[in-house]
Amino acid sequence: MPDPGDGQNTYVFNAEDVAELARLMQQDRLLTDSMGGVLPEKEVELPERSRVLDLACGPGGWVLEMAFAYPKSEIIGVDISPQVIDHARTQAWSRGLENAHFQVMNVMQPLDFPDASFDLINGRLMCAFMLPGAWPKLLAECRRLLKPGGVIRLTETEPPLSTSPAFERLMELGSQALKRAGQSFSPDGRHIGITPVLPRLVRQAGFMDVRLRASAIEWSMGTEAYYPVFKDYLVGLNQIKPFLIRMGVVGKEEVEQLYQLAVAEMQQEEFCAIWTLLTVWGRCPASERLDV
């Protein structure tokens, strides 16, 4: 099992692949729109001149939207990939968002920011690379970086549910591969297992007033979200095949057949699917901060 502090990139996709980069950009927009905006939780209010950190920001979609929505705030995104960060910086420059900044950092290691630097720390779908043992360390680091009263906000997911047998099989194989890679909370590898434990992890890190908000994206054939999510998985399933083969859960010929069959089944008129996400947020105590 990889050591969460060894600097290794454990992302199951190739983030620097052009197709994956385009998928992540489209996925950023899809998730933000489907969840009701960049910060839809009415209980979370930011100061006018706030400082916000986005963990594992990828191509920076959430950071860019936040920078536009909060022009007097400083929004910083960090990611392990220098190429992805270069792309995000180019996007910020092209849009004239001078309050959006990006830095190369591995969120499974200590982050190069002073104590009490941020009003809000955001993270989304980090289950694609986070190791179970790294979560408490990351949350402790977030506790250090947040100002008293600051907010941690994390959104995670489990595999979608659908009526496609081939898609379901690929989701099962993906969960098994993550289990073998040591990147799962599931006791048996049948799911990722992050959503049941995330609220407790946040509470155990010392955050107060921990709350949950569920979002659901229906992407059945004929719905508004169908094509964006279908396109996301058309690319994502193709990208994850090497990981499945490397983890030994499936052979090359079988995974190719499953992929082709899933693509066909997802385009059938009667195809139905839903993708659920869980957002967990909590506040850093206003006083008596823990030593972390």
Side-chain angles (χ1 to χ4, degrees):
M1 182 183 302
D3 181 345
D6 66 3
Q8 180 180 349
N9 189 340
T10 52
Y11 187 50
V12 301
F13 302 95
N14 179 8
E16 296 173 355
D17 181 88
V18 173
E20 175 62 9
L21 192 60
R23 184 185 78 88
L24 290 174
M25 291 172 61
Q26 187 269 338
Q27 186 187 83
D28 264 346
R29 291 190 296 269
L30 168 68
L31 293 178
T32 297
D33 291 345
S34 300
M35 294 171 62
V38 287
L39 200 59
E41 294 81 21
K42 61 182 180 180
E43 299 89 348
V44 180
E45 296 183 359
L46 291 178
E48 184 179 16
R49 298 183 181 275
S50 55
R51 201 159 183 253
V52 176
L53 176 64
D54 190 31
L55 303 168
C57 65
W62 189 85
V63 171
L64 298 173
E65 293 297 324
M66 276 290 291
F68 180 80
Y70 294 85
K72 295 182 180 180
S73 297
E74 181 184 15
I75 319 298
I76 300 173
V78 297
D79 197 273
I80 195 173
S81 169
Q83 287 183 253
V84 170
I85 288 296
D86 285 345
H87 175 84
R89 287 170 176 162
T90 300
Q91 291 293 310
W93 176 83
S94 67
R95 301 184 193 188
L97 296 170
E98 297 181 358
N99 60 327
H101 306 284
F102 298 93
Q103 298 184 39
V104 177
M105 292 187 196
N106 181 355
V107 303
M108 288 196 287
Q109 295 182 338
L111 299 174
D112 190 20
F113 297 109
D115 293 0
S117 299
F118 296 99
D119 299 283
L120 170 69
I121 297 179
N122 182 71
R124 195 156 71 179
L125 302 192
M126 294 192 291
C127 60
F129 68 87
M130 283 290 287
L131 308 179
W135 278 101
K137 296 177 182 179
L138 173 60
L139 288 167
E141 186 71 351
C142 292
R143 178 76 187 274
R144 178 183 73 82
L145 294 176
L146 281 167
K147 299 175 183 178
V151 174
I152 179 76
R153 177 183 182 265
L154 303 170
T155 300
E156 292 297 338
T157 189
E158 302 289 339
L161 300 176
S162 81
T163 56
S164 162
F167 181 86
E168 291 294 294
R169 176 59 177 157
L170 286 167
M171 293 299 98
E172 179 184 2
L173 291 171
S175 296
Q176 291 174 5
L178 285 170
K179 180 68 175 177
R180 289 193 181 186
Q183 294 175 228
S184 171
F185 280 98
S186 172
D188 53 14
R190 295 175 64 187
H191 48 81
I192 301 171
I194 180 59
T195 55
V197 302
L198 187 57
R200 173 173 285 185
L201 287 170
V202 174
R203 288 193 297 267
Q204 288 178 333
F207 291 97
M208 312 298 291
D209 192 25
V210 175
R211 302 191 185 189
L212 315 179
R213 177 176 179 263
S215 304
I217 304 173
E218 187 199 358
W219 55 291
S220 305
M221 175 64 78
T223 62
E224 183 178 354
Y226 167 74
Y227 183 70
V229 183
F230 167 72
K231 186 177 179 182
D232 183 272
Y233 276 99
L234 186 68
V235 177
L237 289 174
N238 189 53
Q239 290 282 82
I240 204 173
K241 286 186 290 187
F243 174 68
L244 301 182
I245 296 169
R246 188 168 68 251
M247 288 297 105
V249 298
V250 68
K252 182 176 180 180
E253 184 176 347
E254 183 183 355
V255 77
E256 290 291 348
Q257 292 174 348
L258 280 170
Y259 175 74
Q260 296 299 330
L261 187 56
V263 170
E265 290 173 351
M266 286 189 288
Q267 295 181 84
Q268 293 177 355
E269 191 65 32
E270 65 273 19
F271 175 74
C272 296
I274 194 161
W275 183 13
T276 57
L277 304 109
L278 179 69
T279 300
V280 179
W281 72 95
R283 294 189 180 277
C284 192
S287 61
E288 300 182 5
R289 288 173 51 86
L290 294 177
D291 292 329
V292 295

